[in-house]
Amino acid sequence: MLSLRRARPYALVFAAVAAVVGLVAAALLLLLGRLDVTADAGSRESLTLRAGADLALAARLPLAPDPVAQDDTVREVIGAAVPDSVNASVTSSVWAEMPFGPPIDEQDALVVTTDGLAGAARIVTGREAATPDEASMQADAAARLGLGPGAEVTLGGRTVVIVGTWLVDDPQAPEWLGDERMTRGAGPEIGPFALDDPDWGTFADARPRVQWVAVPASEDVTVGGLEEILRSWPLLRSRLAAAGVPTDGLSTPGAFTGTAQAVTADVERMRAITPVAVVLLLAATVITLVELARYLTARRITEHALLWARGRSALAAARAGAVEGGVAAAGGAILGALVAAAVTAALPSVFGSIASPAVAASAACVLVVITAAAHAVCAARASGPPMRTVARGRLRRAISPAATLVVALAAGIAVWQLRLYGSPVIRDANGAPGVDPVAAAAPALALVAGVLLLLLALPLVARSVERGAGRRRVTNLLATRAVARAPSQLAAVVAVLAVATGTVVTAAAYTRTWDVAFTQTSAVRAGAPVQVVAGRGGFTPDDVDRVARAPGVSAVFPVQGAPLQLSDGSGALVAADVSALDAVPAAAMTLVDPAELMAAVRVDPGGPEVPVGVQEIRMTTTVSGLTAAPAFDLVLLDDHGVLRRIPGSVDAAAVDGGAEGTVVATFPVGSSATDAARHVVALDVAFGEDAVVGDEARVGPPTFVAGPSGSPPLFAETEWAARVGDILVPPDPQPDGGFLARPGVTDVRVAPVEEPAGLAEPPVAISDALAEQYGLTVGDRLSFGIERVARYTGVVTAIAPAIPSAAEPVALLVDLTVLQLDALRAPRGVVAPSSLWVDADDPQAAALAIREVVAPGAGIVTADPAATRRIVGASVVVLWTVAAVTALLAVATMVAVAGGVRRSRRSELATLRALGLGASAQGSIRAQEWLLVIGAGVAVGLAAGAAVALLTIPELARAAVPDDALGRGMALLVDGRTGTVAILLLIGASLGVTLGAVARTRRDARSPGRAEDVG
């Protein structure tokens, strides 16, 4: 009670301590909550461009003898592996592979149950199967086989009647896992066929399996839920075994864990900034709390001296001070937590719930301990026996450099580690991303160390200023002398202002550096406003057409990406038609010059161009020595890189028994879906079995016309030659453009005689990283290969900082035409493009439209990924929030120090008045003192902040940049406008405190009696 009564007159000071701790505690809780809300919202947004297996968890097992018990147990295990917060729905279905009967005996059939289709598929023709001898069939598969209601098929030795056909309602639905057997009827098995409650034992060699699919509700997804799934789902096998479920044959085809890993990787990038924020905030808070403790001690100096004279020891004073300070800080922490809880309850969509309580509680405990320690030390120093001035000065000089050295050493280690790693985000032995706390704290430690080091030099600078002020007015001399020999309180103001200013500089540098790097690397990685990546199998021309017709799409360009094989290394190969470079986003043009690359790697496709407006091409040739007319396909390559094979409708006249005859093939070329010029690059000729009569057959040179007979001739100046065919039975080219074929021939490809320039040694553009690795310059030759495809010797015609769409810094760009024409001239097929570059005015809207027309397994990325930007961009909010809080703490420290200085220097007022310095002059002295302090604090902060930016910001920003390898050369930039405004606001607030201090000094100088009582 006695201690409480003694503390009551200083309630405002203790309230200030509680307010500081409460402000920091509330700010940390709300900030962490806001980060969680942002991360959760970004996670849910990132799911909008995903479909199929990317949104599902799945497990497959052989069907057990007791299906009901198996289903119940597996559902229970899956439910335990998926957190309740995710709110996943679990469905199960049974299907089996079994032999398919005549006329296709070499393939299996896929059979599913009608229960597995209930509510998710619709009947197209006929009806559902209702008896054991009936089946319905996937409509696309039925159309390809010419089957329909009434047809009979043999499944596992049993004959069933097809009574209907069906299609799934939503091929993109995650329940189908993107399985094209179910969504398109495409796959190695025939079908699928749907039977009503089949008895699998009645089908010969049936292999029934059951599949469980858990689909997390996208609207309920949280980062915490994703992390829990990543921890628990890999344990599915062991949990099933523990539940007594045999796990032989277990497979998990769902890809939701991959989705979760991608999202949580972005969250880890954002979290890399948290240690920086916490350390910066704690540094400013510690200085503020220490100064409040000093101010309180200065006000209670008489009380401490009196209690010491009455016998209270320094230890007892320290205990009392620790209790008082600790209680005030603890109360502030509790109050801050309550305020944060009230704010989160009122604005749950903004701040969510109380997040990361362990981090906030740890920070609050640190602040309480520091506050208690500061009050204990200050009370003990005021209550103990007086130290000799010289000894006390020596002690202070010994402690300050030592503490600075320790902080500087820690900062040096952290900065070295950050620059060594290149980013605070590292990967563990399993490849999972994580934050290295030492590297992440490097900017904050460097800032604090820089401030402390500069503060050591401040007295020397101040004394130099003092000597220079001696030649000016007396008020200037007194002001500079007071600052040069300032008490520790003014040094603390310089420190806290420097930390606040340095934090603003750090935030401004990080904001601009990250924003530009994120925008550039995202645009380079996508290569176009929208990039569509095939799940498997590549894109067909029909796929290209569907994407081209999607709303908001301006143009579509096929692109082939593949691992690049070099003599003693690897990288990324990008093969794109040069016209695709027109789609490179403007944000990438600081790293990529599309015009330069187009001119450097262009290879014309050659071959005659199809005139605009031609819808049909007729080819005529003569044949002899054939039992039947061959089939013809016209191969077109347009200027967007789309390669199309147009089957011809053959009209054979008198082709029988080997006699000479005329064959006419009509090709409905239509119009280009991409509005690009089209070139005829090949004519494929396919022969039937035993087509050649005798020793050889002859096919004459092709002639072409546009439209029906009698139309103007096409491609009259083009010479043709048989280039490739069967490896074992090659064709024999003839001078007139025809060829001879021997028995056993199956395929021959006829192409223009003239080869495009650059096909033998294709021009290539390489990245700076590839050029540096192998010491290459423009004009050098480079041997490179594509795995399982071909090997080339190219000529380096351009070197660029980065290659669009390449996922690695070591990369090469070649015209897609080279790969296509090379494949057409070799006995191998053309590899389907692995991705599409899509030009669009509104990439996000176009991406959503594309999602509806491509396969569920296809990935879609945009040049400015909104979800990723939202998640990792929260780091910018973190730094600016910390900058704002440190500025408030700086102002609070100034207010506390101003009060302490006012009381400690009240004896000067009468002396200065006696020397002829009135209230106005004394106010001017105090104003100059504070202006010098503010100027010193801002200058130190600017210098320390600049050093931190140079040493750490590019590495720190790299943590929040996807595909950070592309940004290794990112430049340090500063958001000068926002930073300048923030520093001016800080200076303005500091000047406001200064005006208040000056006004009080003038008032005290006018009333000496009142000045004796201030406190």
Side-chain angles (χ1 to χ4, degrees):
M1 292 297 294
L2 182 61
S3 178
L4 180 61
R5 286 198 300 271
R6 287 174 181 161
R8 187 176 300 165
Y10 311 104
L12 290 178
V13 181
F14 289 114
V17 172
V20 168
V21 176
L23 172 64
V24 173
L28 273 176
L29 286 170
L30 293 175
L31 183 60
L32 294 174
R34 179 59 186 166
L35 290 180
D36 282 355
V37 168
T38 302
D40 291 343
S43 301
R44 290 188 284 269
E45 185 177 357
S46 68
L47 301 182
T48 58
L49 292 180
R50 296 180 181 268
D54 287 346
L55 297 178
L57 299 162
R60 289 175 182 168
L61 282 170
L63 187 65
D66 187 349
V68 175
Q70 181 190 38
D71 185 67
D72 291 342
T73 304
V74 173
R75 283 175 178 269
E76 183 178 348
V77 172
I78 291 177
V82 180
D84 294 337
S85 60
V86 174
N87 192 25
S89 60
V90 181
T91 59
S92 63
S93 58
V94 181
W95 48 270
E97 296 167 352
M98 60 185 66
F100 188 74
I104 309 176
D105 295 322
E106 67 274 11
Q107 282 185 269
D108 280 345
L110 179 66
V111 178
V112 301
T113 64
T114 55
D115 289 345
L117 301 177
R122 65 185 185 279
I123 294 295
V124 177
T125 60
R127 59 178 176 81
E128 290 184 357
T131 69
D133 296 326
E134 295 178 343
S136 59
M137 187 178 182
Q138 204 278 344
D140 297 321
R144 280 194 293 270
L145 294 176
L147 301 176
E152 293 186 352
V153 294
T154 303
L155 304 175
R158 283 185 50 182
T159 300
V160 296
V161 178
I162 297 177
V163 296
T165 60
W166 51 268
L167 289 172
V168 299
D169 291 331
D170 182 9
Q172 305 284 340
E175 287 80 6
W176 305 119
L177 302 179
D179 189 345
E180 294 191 347
R181 297 179 301 178
M182 301 296 296
T183 59
R184 298 177 52 232
E189 299 90 4
I190 295 175
F193 300 88
L195 278 68
D196 181 41
D197 193 20
D199 181 0
W200 301 111
T202 63
F203 294 90
D205 198 21
R207 301 177 294 280
R209 297 174 64 83
V210 59
Q211 174 175 279
W212 294 267
V213 178
V215 180
S218 297
E219 64 274 12
D220 296 328
V221 164
T222 63
V223 174
L226 296 178
E227 292 173 336
E228 178 61 27
I229 288 174
L230 289 176
R231 287 190 295 267
S232 61
W233 191 253
L235 304 176
L236 181 66
R237 181 181 294 273
S238 60
R239 291 182 174 182
L240 287 172
V245 178
T247 58
D248 293 340
L250 172 67
S251 62
T252 53
F256 188 77
T257 52
T259 301
Q261 286 173 343
V263 173
T264 53
D266 289 337
V267 175
E268 287 298 329
R269 293 188 183 100
M270 178 265 290
R271 288 175 177 169
I273 203 69
T274 302
V276 180
V278 172
V279 175
L280 285 173
L281 197 54
L282 287 179
T285 307
V286 167
I287 295 174
T288 303
L289 292 175
V290 169
E291 290 315 308
L292 285 173
R294 285 179 168 176
Y295 171 59
L296 178 63
T297 302
R299 290 193 58 182
R300 302 176 73 176
I301 191 69
T302 303
E303 176 187 328
H304 285 303
L306 178 61
L307 291 174
W308 178 73
R310 291 179 179 178
R312 188 174 75 168
S313 66
L315 181 59
R319 283 199 300 265
V323 170
E324 292 172 349
V327 169
I334 295 172
L335 180 62
L338 293 175
V339 170
V343 172
T344 55
L347 301 170
S349 62
V350 178
F351 297 104
S353 57
I354 295 296
S356 304
V359 175
S362 299
C365 289
V366 169
L367 294 180
V368 170
V369 170
I370 290 174
T371 304
H375 282 260
V377 171
C378 290
R381 287 172 61 86
S383 301
M387 299 174 61
R388 289 186 303 151
T389 304
V390 174
R392 181 174 298 178
R394 287 175 180 169
L395 177 63
R396 186 172 299 159
R397 285 194 295 271
I399 291 176
S400 182
T404 300
L405 180 61
V406 171
V407 176
L409 182 61
I413 293 173
V415 170
W416 171 80
Q417 188 158 312
L418 174 63
R419 294 176 68 86
L420 176 66
Y421 293 164
S423 168
V425 175
I426 58 175
R427 294 188 177 274
D428 59 20
N430 297 321
V435 177
D436 183 288
V438 175
L445 290 175
L447 178 60
V448 174
V451 169
L452 294 179
L453 288 171
L454 291 172
L455 285 178
L456 287 179
L458 195 59
L460 299 176
V461 177
R463 289 189 178 93
S464 299
V465 174
E466 179 187 359
R467 286 193 293 271
R471 296 186 293 271
R472 298 195 296 270
R473 293 185 305 173
V474 66
T475 54
N476 295 335
L477 173 63
L478 292 174
T480 53
R481 183 178 180 82
V483 173
R485 304 185 180 187
S488 57
Q489 292 97 323
L490 291 183
V493 172
V494 174
V496 74
L497 279 173
V499 170
T501 304
T503 304
V504 169
V505 174
T506 301
Y510 178 87
T511 299
R512 184 64 176 160
T513 301
W514 169 80
D515 181 63
V516 171
F518 179 90
T519 303
Q520 287 181 349
T521 55
S522 296
V524 170
R525 178 65 184 89
V530 182
Q531 183 191 27
V532 188
V533 182
R536 57 178 180 270
F539 291 105
T540 67
D542 289 340
D543 295 329
V544 176
D545 292 343
R546 280 193 293 270
V547 172
R549 290 192 294 266
V553 172
S554 304
V556 182
F557 307 92
V559 176
Q560 180 64 45
L564 175 66
Q565 294 182 334
L566 300 167
S567 58
D568 58 349
S570 62
L573 179 139
V574 177
D577 191 271
V578 291
S579 62
L581 295 170
D582 282 332
V584 171
M589 291 184 183
T590 53
L591 298 176
V592 176
D593 185 343
E596 179 185 357
L597 294 182
M598 290 173 69
V601 303
R602 178 186 295 276
V603 173
D604 291 327
E609 182 177 337
V610 178
V612 176
V614 171
Q615 301 287 315
E616 182 180 275
I617 294 176
R618 293 169 62 89
M619 183 223 59
T620 303
T621 188
T622 59
V623 299
S624 62
L626 294 175
T627 59
F632 294 89
D633 288 343
L634 196 64
V635 183
L636 304 180
L637 177 61
D638 70 24
D639 282 347
H640 283 184
V642 181
L643 191 70
R644 300 176 187 275
R645 185 180 301 275
I646 312 297
S649 174
V650 177
D651 180 14
V655 179
D656 185 18
E660 182 174 347
T662 301
V663 176
V664 178
T666 303
F667 303 98
V669 296
S671 58
S672 173
T674 59
D675 295 326
R678 297 170 293 170
H679 303 264
V680 178
V681 292
L683 176 68
D684 284 352
V685 185
F687 298 90
E689 188 176 355
D690 298 328
V692 177
V693 177
D695 294 334
E696 64 181 16
R698 185 180 189 282
V699 177
T703 59
F704 298 88
V705 297
S709 299
S711 299
L714 293 175
F715 324 139
E717 298 179 358
T718 302
E719 296 182 6
W720 303 87
R723 288 191 171 272
V724 295
D726 295 317
I727 297 177
L728 298 178
V729 189
D732 183 8
Q734 298 298 295
D736 62 357
F739 62 89
L740 302 179
R742 295 193 299 274
V745 68
T746 57
D747 297 286
V748 174
R749 177 166 292 152
V750 178
V753 171
E754 184 179 359
E755 283 197 356
L759 196 59
E761 289 189 338
V764 298
I766 62 175
S767 64
D768 285 340
L770 177 55
E772 181 179 351
Q773 182 171 328
Y774 291 93
L776 297 172
T777 60
V778 173
D780 289 344
R781 283 172 170 75
L782 173 66
S783 176
F784 64 94
I786 306 173
E787 187 176 4
R788 297 190 301 274
V789 177
R791 192 158 193 90
Y792 304 89
T793 297
V795 178
V796 178
T797 54
I799 300 175
I803 298 299
S805 198
E808 299 182 38
V810 176
L812 177 147
L813 174 69
V814 65
D815 195 329
L816 180 60
T817 302
V818 173
L819 273 60
Q820 294 168 324
L821 294 184
D822 182 69
L824 289 173
R825 283 159 171 74
R828 65 173 185 271
V830 178
V831 178
S834 60
S835 62
L836 303 175
W837 287 359
V838 180
D839 197 5
D841 294 331
D842 186 346
Q844 193 64 26
L848 292 173
I850 293 169
R851 175 75 277 170
E852 298 299 320
V853 299
V854 296
I860 300 176
V861 295
T862 63
D864 189 8
T868 303
R869 179 179 285 274
R870 171 181 284 193
I871 294 174
V872 299
S875 55
V876 173
V877 178
V878 171
L879 279 180
W880 281 113
T881 301
V882 170
V885 176
T886 54
L888 291 176
L889 294 177
V891 173
T893 303
M894 287 189 65
V895 172
V897 170
V901 170
R902 180 190 179 201
R903 182 173 182 84
S904 63
R905 297 175 63 183
R906 62 187 178 184
S907 59
E908 297 179 2
L909 300 177
T911 303
L912 294 175
R913 190 179 184 88
L915 293 174
L917 296 175
S920 178
Q922 293 190 40
S924 176
I925 293 172
R926 196 62 52 87
Q928 291 181 59
E929 292 175 6
W930 280 107
L931 288 176
L932 288 172
V933 168
I934 293 171
V938 172
V940 169
L942 288 173
V948 169
L950 287 170
L951 291 173
T952 66
I953 290 303
E955 287 75 17
L956 185 66
R958 185 172 292 119
V961 175
D963 302 302
D964 61 282
L966 301 178
R968 291 252 172 222
M970 67 174 68
L972 173 65
L973 302 171
V974 179
D975 185 355
R977 179 180 299 178
T978 306
T980 301
V981 171
I983 292 175
L984 290 177
L985 289 175
L986 175 61
I987 294 174
S990 302
L991 292 177
V993 176
T994 300
L995 291 176
V998 170
R1000 285 196 170 195
T1001 299
R1002 288 176 176 173
R1003 188 164 61 247
D1004 294 343
R1006 292 192 190 100
S1007 308
R1010 183 178 182 279
E1012 293 296 322
D1013 299 327
V1014 297

